[in-house]
Amino acid sequence: MLLLDPEFLFGLLRIATPLMFVAMGVLIAERSGVLFIGVEGAMLVGAFAGFLGAGLLGSAWLGLVCGVLAGVLCGAAMALLTVSIPANQVVVGLAFNIVCAGITSFAFRLTASVAPSRTPLLEWPVAEGTTLARWLGHLPPLTVLALALSAATAWMLFRTAPGLMLRSAGHNRHAAASAGVNVGAVRSVALLAAGAFAGLGGAALTAGWIRSFSDDVTMGRGFIALAAVYFGRWYPGWTIAACVIFGIGEAMAFRAQSFGGNPHLYLMIPYLLTLAGVALAGRAQGPQEAGRTEP
């Protein structure tokens, strides 16, 4: 079977990993009551920051840190616009995506003379030749990190007091406020975390996988992450499963190109699979406060 092919399985995990990071960010933001439509732009900014940081600093891991910091800045901007003002969340998200696409394109050309064409290879930060290095060498580092952070997110949301406050802010902000929850602060922190996850996902794409950057390098993966959260009914476990399913579609697209024909037709597979997944998921009931702009 195709899923038992180690090469295909490795490619699947590599493709799904950025989606896992970004989907966790979307889930946290929307659980707090904010539609994170601007996730595509935040991911794109993180992808550029990760690429540039890894190239200039000579370390893919430092590139990931740069991606996270850039994502936090994006989350702060979204918090200012959607929580502090607050503006319409859908309009802000769409505008944010357009602005980020223009900024990253301009910055990429501005730094073309100093940025390397390829970033360093991402490897486990352990000494070569040791038993631990030989065991970890077969595991994609970022996939392990993504699964660990997803488990931590699930535990935080459903097993801790901050998680309860976050979910209450997304379910009914008036009831949460009457219980003493500072809804604005909770949503702002949630957007900072969501931006960090989106930036990490973008950096995982450029610094951890393709090791380069180009205009619109994310190719709609932020929106695929949105669909994964919708398909997963805003639960971390099902959301990760949806990311893997969409990853299978893209991995199949790359494998199918060896059969000949127009490669662009094969690259439609993950997006068609996304549409099919959302359609089959039916009318999912998300957090009640997500999308509302009333102060």
Side-chain angles (χ1 to χ4, degrees), residues 125-143:
V126 295
E128 296 183 5
T130 62
T131 302
L132 181 60
R134 288 194 295 270
W135 184 74
L136 292 176
H138 300 288
L139 299 174
L142 291 182
T143 301

Side-chain angles (χ1 to χ4, degrees), residues 66-167:
C66 292
V68 171
L69 295 177
V72 170
L73 291 178
C74 291
M78 292 292 292
L80 174 64
L81 294 172
T82 60
V83 178
S84 299
I85 293 181
N88 184 281
Q89 296 176 11
V90 176
V91 174
V92 167
L94 294 175
F96 189 78
N97 291 333
I98 296 172
V99 169
C100 289
I103 289 176
T104 53
S105 179
F106 174 75
F108 178 55
R109 284 156 178 76
L110 194 65
T111 58
S113 59
V114 296
S117 58
R118 299 279 285 178
T119 63
L121 184 66
L122 182 72
E123 297 178 319
W124 285 102
V126 295
E128 296 183 5
T130 62
T131 302
L132 181 60
R134 288 194 295 270
W135 184 74
L136 292 176
H138 300 288
L139 299 174
L142 291 182
T143 301
V144 176
L145 179 60
L147 293 176
L149 290 178
S150 300
T153 299
W155 176 80
M156 184 276 296
L157 283 174
F158 300 104
R159 294 290 186 270
T160 68
L164 178 60
M165 289 192 294
L166 187 146
R167 289 186 289 118

